[in-house]
Amino acid sequence: MSLNPAQRAAVEHCDTPLLVLAGAGSGKTRVITQKIQHLIVRRQMPAQKIAAITFTNKAAREMRERANALLRGVDAEGLTVCTFHSLGLKFLQIEHEAAGLRCGFSIFDSDDAGALVKDLMPRGTSGPDIAAIRNLVSRAKSDSLSPERAAELAKSPREREAADIYGQYQKRLAAFNAVDFDDLIRLPVQLLEQHESLRDAWRERLRYLLVDEYQDTNTAQYSLLKLLAGPRGAFTCVGDDDQSIYAWRGADTANIERLGQDYPELRIIKLEQNYRCARRILRAANTLIANNPHLHPKKLWSDHAEGEPIRVFECADAESEAERVAAEIAFLANKHNAQWDDFSILFRGNHQSRALEKALQLQRVPYHLSGGTAFLERAEVKDVLSWLRLLANPDDDAAFLRAVAAPKREIGATTLARLGEMANRLHLGLARAAERPDVLGQLPARTANALDGFMQLIAALRRAAATMPAGDLVRKLVEDSGQLAALRAECRDEPLFQRRRENVEELAQWFDAAGKGSAGDLVAQLALLTNADRDSAGNAVRLMTLHASKGLEFPFVFIVGVEDGLLPHDASIEEGRIEEERRLMYVGITRAKQLLHLSYARHARRFGELQRCTPSRFIDELPAAELHVVGRDAGQDAERTREHADAAIAKLSALFAD
């Protein structure tokens, strides 16, 4: 397919900063990959001087594959296609000394970071309070604030507490030679701001930047873009302010306005031709989002067919709604000879999936729930993985910190901080420092004995790993480390213990298939498993939140729970954040290619009481001419009922024929 005029203009414009406002389904990834080809082939820019940056590993992988397909036969070695965090990691790996890090520093994931915050807070602090402080620390980092500046700007006791925890948290990370995900952006920004030589070197290293999903950038990410691009502004930012739905994790739509302020020569190109949706769906989406204020208004259009009216269902309650949706999916799949993965059910919150799962099971419709706890993210599995990582790499401090506490030993956070300080002075990892008698001699005898026993166990398992089959090593590890005994002790009943034990056994069985291998081979295999697309659904109806649906498309889309209090959410109504909820609804609508269904319940049980529900205000904002509200057109409804009845009879006849 050739480029349309707006796409071609976006690809060929390279001389001044460029913002591409790319509406839903307008081919933005195609523009980015074609522009990479244009820069390398037409502009003769070395591939290693170009970086295309997006927000997820999956998006980066797909973009890299499409770019490579366009660049066959062209020297594209060194081309960078990655996430913001991957770029920050690459920067810190090169500039680790300037950041005060040793080579081989660890990265704390969200679980590691949460556990560290918990250790720093008073004993007995509730989970929600810990999460709130962790989020405030993360927000401060996303806003490029130091602990001191966060304390100055604090407006409430909780914000002041978070600023204090933030300072302690950073000291602990430094002692452990570790960074968290936020530091992967914050530290490069800090170093580039402070060191002119680094700025010059990196601006030469990366001569052109392409940023995807620009509307999702936070303050620190925008600062990184500006520092790398410099006054020249050699960049193309591609985004859609109408699909900015991540303010809760720091995304700032004001970054679109900042581009124009910081780069007066900025050119803006709008991609308004949609290649995905039927015209009715686009008209409805345009009318809805027009209720939001816009700095740069746009209006999507399509050459596709008109399509059927958007169907709106009113149901008695969530259970009736789920049954109606499941029955409609079964009917449409038969009518259109569609695959199950042509269908998606979208909702505001994960709790809405329960009734839907039950209804789909009764209809014998296969489904896949996106966003559930992935197998490799389960606590007992991650505990085993931390031990395996440490067996393979004694310098993996994050693995050491998790393994030494799985199960808990007489080794507290204060001891680990002291160990980290001594390891830093010796320029060693935590595990290597814990092996040294002179280090253990500076710790209390009881703690030193516990650490010595832990390291002896690691050494024994490392010896076993050299000859033992992979799966057997996992089984030996959970027994010898005490993890299995700890699981039994903490599980409230036998069925729960068996489920968690089976998770560990499933991990062992994965490794059984790999045969014999060293600890290094294990870690390599684990990396492949961890980096795979773990949300692969196969031929099944996709159930997911509206947030998770962004970037996807389906022929048939059902949005359920379209009620005030759910969509828009109660908290958003109370806090005046309706505009982002409207954008969320817009994202959901524009996932549909052919048919869109909206549904809501008349009553819902909340806080133990049956309450009357109000249809979402967003339904009233949709153009009435594009809707068919079931129950208002007797003739059309009767025809649909006959179609359902005929389909049911045909299904029964097929069963008896078998």
Side-chain angles (χ1 to χ4, degrees):
M1 185 174 66
S2 61
L3 295 169
N4 66 40
Q7 290 174 331
R8 184 168 298 283
V11 166
E12 295 179 352
H13 182 86
C14 302
D15 297 326
T16 65
L18 175 64
L19 171 62
V20 180
L21 292 174
S26 62
K28 66 182 179 63
T29 304
R30 193 159 175 270
V31 165
I32 292 173
T33 53
Q34 291 270 5
K35 188 153 193 171
I36 291 171
Q37 181 193 42
H38 179 80
L39 287 166
I40 295 172
V41 176
R42 297 289 179 86
R43 293 292 183 120
Q44 296 293 298
M45 183 174 288
Q48 64 267 26
K49 302 285 188 181
I50 300 169
I53 309 165
T54 187
F55 274 82
T56 67
N57 288 316
K58 180 180 178 183
R61 184 168 60 249
E62 291 173 354
M63 188 181 292
R64 188 181 301 109
E65 290 169 355
R66 290 173 66 171
N68 288 340
L70 288 172
L71 293 167
R72 285 198 183 102
V74 177
D75 181 10
E77 187 176 351
L79 173 68
T80 297
V81 183
C82 65
T83 65
F84 267 104
H85 289 96
S86 295
L87 181 62
L89 174 59
K90 179 180 179 180
F91 180 98
L92 290 177
Q93 286 172 333
I94 294 171
E95 312 293 353
H96 61 88
E97 289 186 6
L101 296 166
R102 298 193 309 277
C103 186
F105 60 87
S106 297
I107 301 171
F108 274 33
D109 64 16
S110 57
D111 283 351
D112 297 328
L116 181 51
V117 169
K118 182 179 179 180
D119 281 341
L120 292 169
M121 296 189 70
R123 189 177 299 276
T125 304
S126 68
D129 286 339
I130 294 168
I133 295 295
R134 171 73 188 103
N135 288 337
L136 285 171
V137 171
S138 180
R139 178 61 65 89
K141 290 188 172 192
S142 295
D143 289 340
S144 296
L145 301 178
S146 66
E148 295 75 21
R149 184 60 178 155
E152 290 174 9
L153 296 176
K155 296 177 181 177
S156 67
R158 172 158 282 182
E159 289 181 352
R160 284 190 288 274
E161 180 185 15
D164 179 58
I165 294 292
Y166 178 13
Q168 298 178 57
Y169 175 86
Q170 288 305 112
K171 290 177 182 176
R172 287 283 179 90
L173 285 180
F176 296 147
N177 190 38
V179 297
D180 63 15
F181 286 140
D182 295 314
D183 287 328
L184 295 177
I185 309 298
R186 186 186 67 85
L187 286 174
V189 167
Q190 180 179 305
L191 292 172
L192 289 168
E193 286 177 340
Q194 294 173 352
H195 302 286
E196 183 179 357
S197 59
L198 279 182
R199 287 198 301 275
D200 292 342
W202 278 86
R203 286 170 186 173
E204 177 57 32
R205 183 188 292 268
L206 298 176
R207 300 286 308 275
Y208 202 92
L209 303 172
L210 301 105
V211 181
D212 189 18
E213 303 289 5
Y214 176 72
Q215 77 282 348
D216 293 337
T217 54
N218 59 33
T219 301
Q221 288 160 344
Y222 178 62
S223 297
L224 182 61
L225 167 65
K226 266 189 67 180
L227 288 161
L228 291 174
R232 289 186 308 115
F235 62 75
T236 294
C237 292
V238 183
D240 182 7
D241 50 345
D242 289 333
Q243 296 187 75
S244 180
I245 57 174
Y246 296 115
W248 50 275
R249 69 183 190 197
D252 188 356
T253 53
N255 285 345
I256 290 176
E257 186 175 358
R258 290 189 185 105
L259 270 184
Q261 295 169 348
D262 294 338
Y263 294 93
E265 293 183 341
L266 180 74
R267 182 178 176 187
I268 298 173
I269 295 175
K270 300 177 185 179
L271 303 185
E272 297 174 295
Q273 182 174 359
N274 174 283
Y275 293 95
R276 176 189 300 159
C277 307
R279 291 182 186 178
R280 282 185 186 273
I281 292 170
L282 280 187
R283 288 197 294 268
N286 284 334
T287 303
L288 174 76
I289 205 63
N291 289 280
N292 275 3
H294 289 83
L295 182 65
H296 305 290
K298 62 183 181 301
K299 191 172 185 178
L300 298 183
W301 60 276
S302 172
D303 281 336
H304 288 325
E306 279 288 293
E308 294 186 27
I310 297 167
R311 294 175 63 80
V312 182
F313 299 98
E314 180 186 80
C315 306
D317 52 31
E319 287 71 26
S320 299
E321 181 181 27
E323 291 165 6
R324 184 73 175 265
V325 167
E328 190 72 15
I329 287 174
F331 166 71
L332 289 171
N334 181 65
K335 178 181 178 180
H336 295 277
N337 193 28
Q339 297 293 308
W340 295 120
D341 58 2
D342 288 334
F343 296 86
S344 180
I345 307 175
L346 309 180
F347 36 78
R348 182 62 176 82
N350 276 314
H351 68 279
Q352 294 172 258
S353 70
R354 296 168 194 146
L356 293 162
E357 291 185 73
K358 181 179 178 182
L360 291 167
Q361 288 167 1
L362 289 172
Q363 285 282 346
R364 297 186 177 181
V365 172
Y367 67 88
H368 173 80
L369 178 62
S370 298
T373 302
F375 173 73
L376 292 175
E377 296 297 323
R378 297 185 186 279
E380 58 272 17
V381 175
K382 289 191 76 171
D383 287 344
V384 174
L385 298 185
S386 69
W387 280 75
L388 292 172
R389 284 165 49 196
L390 188 58
L391 294 183
N393 178 14
D395 294 319
D396 189 333
D397 285 358
F400 175 90
L401 291 170
R402 183 162 188 132
V404 81
K408 290 188 179 301
R409 302 165 194 278
E410 294 177 341
I411 305 168
T414 302
T415 297
L416 291 173
R418 286 186 62 190
L419 178 65
E421 291 166 1
M422 288 186 282
N424 264 349
R425 287 199 297 270
L426 294 166
H427 303 287
L428 296 172
L430 293 170
R432 294 193 190 278
E435 292 173 335
R436 293 180 54 145
D438 57 325
V439 170
L440 294 179
Q442 298 180 56
L443 298 173
R446 190 173 178 180
T447 302
N449 288 337
L451 259 180
D452 185 51
F454 173 71
M455 294 311 301
Q456 288 185 32
L457 179 56
I458 289 292
L461 289 169
R462 191 172 286 129
R463 289 192 294 271
T467 56
M468 184 175 286
D472 289 346
L473 176 61
V474 170
R475 297 180 184 97
K476 177 177 176 59
L477 187 158
V478 296
E479 287 282 0
D480 292 0
S481 69
Q483 287 187 53
L484 206 56
L487 267 184
R488 183 179 291 280
E490 70 182 58
C491 290
R492 62 182 179 273
D493 54 42
E494 184 65 19
L496 177 60
F497 167 68
Q498 290 301 334
R499 283 197 301 274
R500 298 185 70 183
R501 182 178 187 175
E502 286 166 7
N503 287 334
V504 176
E505 176 57 28
E506 184 177 341
L507 181 67
Q509 289 173 6
W510 274 0
F511 289 127
D512 281 338
K516 292 184 178 180
S518 67
D521 294 333
L522 283 176
V523 172
Q525 180 67 20
L526 286 172
L528 291 175
L529 292 170
T530 301
N531 292 328
D533 181 10
R534 294 175 300 191
D535 204 28
S536 179
N539 186 22
V541 175
R542 297 289 298 272
L543 276 66
M544 68 184 75
T545 64
L546 286 155
H547 283 98
S549 73
K550 188 167 173 293
L552 303 177
E553 58 183 47
F554 303 90
F556 309 96
V557 170
F558 292 76
I559 306 179
V560 301
V562 190
E563 307 149 18
D564 273 4
L566 279 177
L567 184 63
H569 195 271
D570 272 328
S572 299
I573 296 172
E574 293 169 5
E575 297 168 12
R577 293 186 285 108
I578 297 296
E579 290 174 11
E580 178 153 339
E581 293 289 296
R582 187 176 287 113
R583 292 195 291 267
L584 193 57
M585 180 74 170
Y586 173 85
V587 165
I589 290 172
T590 53
R591 299 312 94 194
K593 297 167 71 174
Q594 295 173 224
L595 288 173
L596 175 64
H597 299 72
L598 310 177
S599 59
Y600 60 89
R602 288 192 298 272
H603 295 91
R605 189 165 295 280
R606 294 178 183 171
F607 309 109
E609 296 182 3
L610 196 64
Q611 298 181 0
R612 176 79 184 182
C613 300
T614 303
S616 172
R617 63 196 69 190
F618 297 149
I619 294 178
D620 292 334
E621 293 177 2
L622 297 174
E626 313 302 347
L627 307 181
H628 170 61
V629 181
V630 176
R632 291 185 186 172
D633 185 333
Q636 198 174 116
D637 290 340
E639 176 62 27
R640 191 72 164 200
T641 301
R642 282 193 295 274
E643 287 184 349
H644 272 275
D646 291 345
I649 292 169
K651 193 173 182 179
L652 287 171
S653 299
L655 286 172
F656 284 120
D658 291 341

